[in-house]
Amino acid sequence: MKVAFTVNGAPREAEVEPRRTLADMLREECGLTGTHLGCEHGVCGACTVLLDGAPVRACLMFGVQAEGAAIRTVEGLAAPDGTLNALQRAFQAHHGLQCGFCTPGFLMLATWLLERPDKLDEDTMRHVLSSNICRCTGYQGILASVRAAAQELGRWAG
Amino acid sequence: MGGIGARLARIEDPPLLRGEGRFAADLNLPGQLHMRVVRAGIAHGVLRGVDLSAALALPGVVAAWTAAELEGIPPIGFRQMVVGGLLAYRQPVLARDRVRYVGEPVAVIFADDPYVAEDAEELVLAEIEPLPVLLSAADPPGDFDGTHGTESAVVVKAYGDLGAAFAAAAHVVEMDLSVGRHSGVPMETRGGLAEIEPGSGILRLHGAAKVPHANRNAIAAMLGLDPARIHLHEGHVGGGFGIRGELYPEDVLLCLGALRLGRPVKWIEDRREHLMAANHSRDQRHRIRAAVDAQGVVLGVEAEFWVDQGAYVRTHAVTVPDLAAAMLPGPYLFPAFRATAHQRLTNKTPAGTYRAPGRYESSFVRERLMDAVADRLGMDRVAVRRANLIPASAMPFDRGIDALGTPLVYDSGDYARLLDRLLAAVGYEALQAGLAARRQAGEMVGLGLAFFVEKSGLGPFDDVRIELDREGGAEVITGVASIGQGVETALAQILSDVLGLPPARIRVVHGQTDRIARGMGAFATRVTVMTGSAIAIAGARLRATLLARAAALLQRPAAALRLRDGEARAEDGSGAAIPLGALVAACLEGSDAARLVEEGSFQSGHMTYPYGIHMAVARVDAETSGVTLERIMVGYDIGRAVNPMLVEGQIVGGAAQGVGGALLEEFRYAEDGQPLSVTLADYLMPSCAEMPEVAVLITEDAPSRIGPLGVKGAGEGGTTAMGAAIAAAVDAALGGRVPIDALPITPARLHALRAAACPVA
Ligand code: FES
Ligand code: FES
């Protein structure tokens, strides 16, 4: 089946089997391997992307369901010349990653948190980020990174 | 400038943050096939036959094999800690006539598309005649193969006069303790891509980790290849924790597929496979007794324990029982000691090492024992520990036994000082008083403390080659591996220190068998100590060469010159400076070599022993028996920290894994041996909702006496005694009325214990 959608602002078309997941379509058909698969059953959140502005688990959707959607992936965060954005810089400064496998999922989830109309507070941050798993960092660096980015962007409540 | 001691941001981060990582699943080659492993669905049985015909008939399937197609390929051997009598327990690449755990590979399929390979797997029929299953190492041993029993090895570590200790004892304290089955479970599953390089005919396996050189040699031997014709390559690795990078059946199948089918072959494990096929760990039951005098001094300890090895003995051989037994005494004197470890096979997934292997288990046992000794004598739990710590004046302290084949000699340590410093840092008295007041008010909340000694820097050697180019950049080629722990940054900082070169101009190459002849890899928290030392040694030689040349050019004595900020100039800043690139070019004058090269090697027959203390504050919910951690505090003496930010990252990450094993994670099995924890919804790992703030106190009171840097490793000390500390905290929260003698402490288990301890009428 043919699917048309945008990824990080650029229009895309792909020819996919109906059973192919959105994650596989992004990775294999679009070559965007920044979206990772840690479980393929909706628990770990490594595959989190933003679809029409909301975070989704790309392993739990089929590619064909993305028809007409605007998708954002980790590859769209940095500037075209590769300059890291505030959230990415915060992850580097606060040691928010070790192996980096979970990182794209956390970055996309945090991007959504930082773009919501309400300012971010500690409880909301912990609650939302608890839907993703990181096996390396013990989360302290991730929480510090998101907190620092929110502060830098004027999105931190308190 | 980013040398040793700097909290330098990692040089490996930017590509990972941009989604440009190259993990195994991200690699593709034209014409590649996809491999799928068919696994046994029965825990123990006679394999009567495997019918591949329907799978082979599926369009897109290129080949399918059973053990019959692997005739002549030996089972997977051992990488370390081999003892006699283990050969019969090695795992075959594909099961031959028996299957011994659910998840054991029985056949393999190669297809054009990964989805098709999975379709084909479902068409394979394995005929298995069930046999009775054995699911506990503490049960009497059974039959393994008609010739061998299921007790694969017995490891004994002993010193001192135990009989005299017990004869002199005022008290004997006995316990029966166990630690559940859990493991590393990295977020990236295993995977790889094998190819025969067109032209050279060299077999290349991408997706390697941990021990590429050892695995290269092992694969070459198994497949009858010249090791020079095969290379392993490490890309980005999504977490190791001890389990990734050991040689598994799938690695051999990938190579064999590429060799025989003439096309690249890719394999990416799915999570369900991972949870039943990659190494499990822990799963030990201990019976222990201590002879104690009237003052709380432990005179002797005797332990017997059972290690559930699962279905086969994998690459580590007896590493886990060896370390569990040898490191059991930890920081205490224990003048007489005997540990007897039974390694036994069951019908569960084979087990191997996982972060702090053996020590997580035996630290839990030892520290629970110390709590019990304190409780029995009515002493304070901290005071009992103080009464038994090895004094700093006794360092180096020789236990008189071996660990990992090296003499167990604690090289340095001031255990009492770390205890003082941590208690002061957390405001221990006030903290305990506050908790007591809350208990008085009806809350179930308590603090637990556990001491541990770690080990790091396992030899025997590591080599490096440092190459300086004419532009003033450096490349460090090592034989170690990076599993996501920040190796590149830490090693660059060490070289930066020696050569006065900004870390950004240093490139670290690791995990490529075609770049350096030999290498030990990344395990046992050895990289910073071993490779770091080799870099310091080779770097010092390069510095001498460079300064000698600079002395001639600047007409100043070499001793008055320094390398700093990428140039050579006088120590006092006077006179001209020579940029490093120009200096390298000057050293190479008259030669057409592009680079100035120096090699270094560091050898060590001893390990170095960092040590630490874990503290946890836990609250038990009266209704649900759920445990909430309010605080975690870790004190850790690392000798010297190359990058404190990375050290803290290791400690906090390790602590989270310790928390998982203490409260959540467990591979459970049904009575027939069916695994019940095969998704991440059943195998629960901590999220940020379960993790409290971890306060880390890094001290540098006891520099290592091994190697030129004084560093000890940080990889495992976040995990080691976390289970012990949490158990003690839960025990304290419940006022000592409920025996906390097994991990994980799940709500269901704790609820049952509470009900048994205080039955409600
Ligand atoms: S891969 Fe999608 S949630 Fe784990
Ligand atoms: S950084 Fe490795 S899983 Fe999060």
Side-chain angles (χ1 to χ4, degrees):
Chain A
M1 286 175 75
K2 239 192 182 44
V3 210
F5 49 94
T6 67
V7 183
N8 302 323
R12 295 265 189 169
E13 268 187 24
E15 178 72 44
V16 289
E17 265 185 282
R19 65 172 175 171
R20 195 144 305 237
T21 63
L22 174 59
D24 280 350
M25 183 176 84
L26 290 169
R27 291 177 51 82
E28 310 303 333
E29 259 65 45
C30 305
L32 296 170
T33 54
T35 299
H36 295 158
L37 290 165
C39 70
E40 296 179 276
H41 49 245
V43 179
C44 74
C47 64
T48 305
V49 298
L50 302 186
L51 187 126
D52 293 332
V56 298
R57 306 270 207 232
C59 71
L60 290 186
M61 280 185 70
F62 293 114
V64 293
Q65 290 175 281
E67 176 64 34
I71 298 168
R72 289 166 65 195
T73 69
V74 66
E75 287 90 347
L77 295 181
D81 69 354
T83 306
L84 303 181
N85 75 11
L87 179 65
Q88 291 168 309
R89 283 199 311 276
F91 264 70
Q92 185 177 22
H94 297 273
H95 199 21
L97 65 155
Q98 288 183 26
C99 79
F101 195 80
C102 70
T103 311
F106 274 100
L107 287 173
M108 296 320 288
L109 196 55
T111 296
W112 176 73
L113 274 175
L114 295 174
E115 289 177 358
R116 289 179 333 144
D118 297 340
K119 286 194 173 182
L120 187 58
D121 58 56
E122 185 74 27
D123 284 353
T124 310
M125 173 177 73
R126 268 192 191 262
H127 178 70
V128 170
L129 294 183
S130 74
S131 44
N132 282 18
I133 300 175
C134 171
R135 193 55 162 165
C136 298
T137 63
Y139 304 101
Q140 206 143 302
I142 295 176
L143 295 169
S145 303
V146 176
R147 210 179 283 127
Q151 278 158 356
E152 188 190 326
L153 297 167
R155 304 294 309 144
W156 187 250
Chain B
M1 193 185 58
I4 293 179
R7 299 181 69 89
L8 184 73
R10 301 197 318 169
I11 53 185
E12 42 276 82
D13 286 354
L16 294 167
L17 287 163
R18 286 193 288 254
E20 293 166 357
R22 302 299 282 158
F23 294 91
D26 305 337
L27 310 175
N28 291 295
L29 284 169
Q32 72 193 7
L33 292 168
H34 296 267
M35 183 175 96
R36 182 81 190 169
V37 176
V38 184
R39 301 177 184 278
I42 284 178
H44 191 201
V46 179
L47 186 57
R48 291 279 174 224
V50 182
D51 182 358
L52 298 174
S53 53
L56 281 166
L58 192 72
V61 172
V62 171
W65 306 330
T66 65
E69 281 78 21
L70 267 54
E71 212 55 63
I73 294 176
I76 292 178
F78 307 117
R79 183 171 64 77
Q80 62 178 28
M81 291 311 294
V82 189
V83 296
L86 289 182
L87 288 183
Y89 304 103
R90 291 170 301 168
Q91 176 162 12
V93 174
L94 291 175
R96 221 158 263 282
D97 24 59
R98 263 210 218 187
V99 297
R100 294 189 168 87
Y101 66 98
V102 172
E104 177 164 7
V106 295
V108 61
I109 292 164
F110 302 90
D112 289 325
D113 179 277
Y115 283 61
V116 171
E118 244 180 275
D119 292 342
E121 176 206 346
E122 288 175 15
L123 299 175
V124 174
L125 284 176
E127 196 192 326
I128 300 171
E129 196 178 296
L131 291 168
V133 297
L134 191 54
L135 295 173
S136 167
D139 286 350
D143 167 59
F144 180 74
D145 61 1
T147 312
H148 301 85
T150 55
E151 182 158 281
S152 44
V154 177
V155 175
V156 178
K157 306 276 173 183
Y159 60 78
D161 185 346
L162 211 51
F166 278 92
H171 306 272
V172 173
V173 178
E174 291 186 55
M175 299 189 89
D176 186 337
L177 299 151
S178 48
V179 174
R181 176 169 272 251
H182 61 274
S183 193
V185 191
M187 289 318 297
E188 182 199 18
T189 58
R190 295 178 297 151
L193 175 62
E195 61 161 328
I196 308 296
E197 189 175 69
S200 73
I202 285 179
L203 170 63
R204 296 193 185 273
L205 177 61
H206 306 271
K210 187 174 180 179
V211 287
H213 285 86
N215 288 354
R216 185 261 309 259
N217 295 343
I219 293 171
M222 287 178 73
L223 302 184
L225 300 173
D226 172 2
R229 310 285 301 158
I230 161 166
H231 281 300
L232 267 59
H233 300 279
E234 179 185 58
H236 283 119
V237 175
F241 316 125
I243 78 115
R244 184 200 301 282
E246 291 298 331
L247 189 64
Y248 286 99
E250 293 88 351
D251 302 302
V252 181
L253 291 170
L254 267 175
C255 292
L256 207 57
L259 279 170
R260 287 188 183 171
L261 303 172
R263 287 167 66 178
V265 181
K266 178 171 177 172
W267 173 68
I268 300 299
E269 181 180 50
D270 68 33
R271 183 54 70 185
R272 185 168 181 278
E273 290 183 281
H274 182 89
L275 292 170
M276 56 191 196
N279 282 348
H280 288 182
S281 199
R282 318 290 195 223
D283 206 353
Q284 295 186 6
R285 163 108 178 255
H286 287 237
R287 291 216 182 91
I288 188 162
R289 56 191 205 116
V292 189
D293 77 6
Q295 281 72 47
V297 173
V298 177
L299 306 173
V301 167
E302 183 174 27
E304 183 167 23
F305 62 95
W306 294 267
V307 179
D308 188 331
Q309 173 56 37
Y312 293 100
V313 180
R314 281 188 170 167
T315 49
H316 303 98
V318 299
T319 297
V320 173
D322 180 88
L323 284 169
M327 304 280 295
L328 200 154
Y332 307 117
L333 282 164
F334 292 175
F337 173 73
R338 181 182 182 87
T340 307
H342 302 267
Q343 183 188 54
R344 287 189 184 164
L345 300 186
T346 59
N347 297 112
K348 302 186 201 167
T349 299
T353 56
Y354 167 38
R355 206 171 201 171
R359 284 97 74 199
Y360 186 83
E361 302 91 315
S362 62
S363 291
F364 172 72
V365 169
R366 173 190 66 246
E367 296 300 309
R368 289 275 63 206
L369 181 71
M370 296 307 279
D371 286 341
V373 168
D375 295 356
R376 168 75 73 84
L377 276 74
M379 285 176 73
D380 176 71
R381 288 180 171 184
V382 172
V384 159
R385 288 176 166 83
R386 275 193 203 282
N388 288 281
L389 287 177
I390 298 168
S393 58
M395 295 289 167
F397 183 80
D398 187 345
R399 275 269 181 228
I401 51 179
D402 278 5
L404 282 186
T406 65
L408 184 59
V409 182
Y410 297 160
D411 53 326
S412 59
D414 190 339
Y415 301 154
R417 182 170 157 80
L418 180 64
L419 183 58
D420 292 338
R421 291 186 65 175
L422 185 67
L423 296 184
V426 304
Y428 183 74
E429 299 297 331
L431 182 58
Q432 281 287 29
L435 293 172
R438 287 173 63 190
R439 276 194 299 274
Q440 203 68 49
E443 271 191 275
M444 291 192 283
V445 63
L447 179 147
L449 173 148
F451 227 115
F452 64 94
V453 175
E454 255 302 332
K455 50 126 209 88
S456 73
L458 179 67
F461 69 87
D462 252 316
D463 300 342
V464 298
R465 191 168 70 247
I466 303 174
E467 303 186 359
L468 300 182
D469 61 36
R470 292 166 188 255
E471 286 72 51
E475 191 170 61
V476 182
I477 298 111
T478 73
V480 294
S482 168
I483 41 188
Q485 74 278 50
V487 161
E488 294 174 33
T489 303
L491 296 183
Q493 283 181 262
I494 293 170
L495 185 62
S496 164
D497 225 46
V498 194
L499 292 186
L501 189 62
R505 280 160 65 181
I506 300 171
R507 209 169 84 85
V508 176
V509 176
H510 51 79
Q512 313 298 325
T513 61
D514 56 356
R515 295 297 307 275
I516 192 160
R518 57 176 199 165
M520 289 295 295
F523 59 96
T525 306
R526 63 186 302 285
V527 174
T528 313
V529 176
M530 294 300 298
T531 312
S533 297
I535 289 174
I537 290 164
R541 276 193 224 127
L542 268 177
R543 184 179 54 197
T545 307
L546 292 165
L547 287 178
R549 191 76 190 106
L553 293 171
L554 295 171
Q555 307 276 300
R556 307 276 292 255
L561 299 175
R562 284 291 169 270
L563 294 172
R564 189 176 299 150
D565 299 328
E567 52 186 31
R569 70 158 64 228
E571 177 84 78
D572 59 11
S574 66
I578 312 175
L580 190 72
L583 193 52
V584 169
C587 290
L588 293 172
E589 214 172 81
S591 118
D592 53 8
R595 296 171 157 205
L596 182 63
V597 178
E598 186 64 69
E599 299 191 348
S601 187
F602 181 66
Q603 266 130 38
S604 170
H606 288 266
M607 292 191 284
T608 171
Y609 296 85
Y611 53 93
I613 304 168
H614 286 163
M615 266 193 222
V617 175
R619 187 177 71 237
V620 177
D621 183 284
E623 297 285 310
T624 64
S625 291
V627 175
T628 303
L629 295 175
E630 296 188 349
R631 288 179 73 174
I632 290 175
M633 295 139 292
V634 183
Y636 195 57
D637 196 287
I638 190 172
R640 187 176 179 202
V642 173
N643 182 330
M645 182 177 84
L646 300 190
V647 171
E648 286 162 20
Q650 286 296 309
I651 300 286
V652 177
Q657 292 186 312
V659 167
L663 297 178
L664 298 165
E665 299 177 33
E666 190 172 31
F667 291 109
R668 291 179 306 116
Y669 284 84
E671 274 172 19
D672 61 356
Q674 285 295 327
L676 300 175
S677 316
V678 293
T679 73
L680 295 188
D682 308 300
Y683 185 86
L684 299 178
M685 295 188 281
S687 77
C688 67
E690 286 80 36
M691 279 304 292
E693 208 55 29
V694 180
V696 184
L697 173 72
I698 303 285
T699 63
E700 299 181 330
D701 291 338
S704 168
R705 298 188 198 201
I706 293 179
L709 298 171
V711 299
K712 298 180 178 180
E716 301 175 270
T719 308
T720 317
M722 206 64 246
I726 292 171
V730 173
D731 175 331
L734 298 172
R737 292 185 303 273
V738 178
I740 306 298
D741 48 17
L743 299 180
I745 311 165
T746 60
R749 216 166 265 159
L750 188 56
H751 190 76
L753 285 171
R754 286 177 62 209
C758 352
V760 184

